[in-house]
Amino acid sequence: MMGRLRQWARQLKRDGLTLWFAVRHPGTPWPAKALAALVVAYAFSPIDLIPDFIPVLGLLDEMLLLPAFIWLALRLTPAPVLAECRAQAQAWMDAARGRITHWWGAALVVAVWLAAAAGLWWWWRG
């Protein structure tokens, strides 16, 4: 059971890297590129949309939402582009490079939190 879980986690990490390369690939159609960019921004962001210290909900985004959006972005990407980007992602992982961190992803998460706070303030006041 633990071996299958570790393999799934490695595959999920590789698929996230695959999307990172797919965003930069010229053969990726724009809907797939837009979704992949959002998924990559969130996946590689140092800040979570739902903080992990919140019981149950904190891990919900990593266990359900992120894999679902990765799956959808992979389905929107053409097979030849996907194969090329998966090879690049596997080479990246085999080279044991460091963790990718995107601060613009963190900015996106902060913007969502600020928009939610402004919406609540407007609703509460109105």
Side-chain angles (χ1 to χ4, degrees), residues 7-112:
Q7 181 181 0
W8 180 75
R10 272 193 299 272
Q11 182 181 0
L12 193 62
K13 181 179 178 181
R14 188 203 62 207
D15 288 343
L17 282 170
T18 298
L19 291 177
W20 186 60
F21 287 111
V23 168
R24 291 162 176 74
H25 196 284
T28 305
W30 75 266
K33 195 175 278 200
L35 180 61
L38 289 174
V39 169
V40 166
Y42 182 69
F44 297 137
S45 170
I47 301 173
D48 284 343
L49 187 62
I50 305 170
D52 289 339
F53 63 83
I54 298 174
V56 181
L57 291 177
L59 296 176
L60 184 67
D61 58 344
E62 283 95 1
M63 294 181 71
L64 295 178
L65 296 177
L66 192 58
F69 283 118
I70 287 174
W71 175 83
L72 182 60
L74 289 173
R75 294 296 173 254
L76 292 174
T77 306
V81 172
L82 198 57
E84 186 179 328
C85 293
R86 274 199 175 128
Q88 288 176 316
Q90 192 61 51
W92 179 284
M93 290 175 66
D94 291 344
R97 296 191 178 158
R99 177 178 157 85
I100 300 169
T101 303
H102 280 287
W103 291 102
W104 53 271
L108 179 69
V109 170
V110 169
V112 167

Side-chain angles (χ1 to χ4, degrees), residues 49-51 107-125:
L49 187 62
I50 305 170
L108 179 69
V109 170
V110 169
V112 167
W113 275 107
L114 289 175
L120 282 174
W121 181 79
W122 181 77
W123 177 74
W124 185 266
R125 191 177 149 106

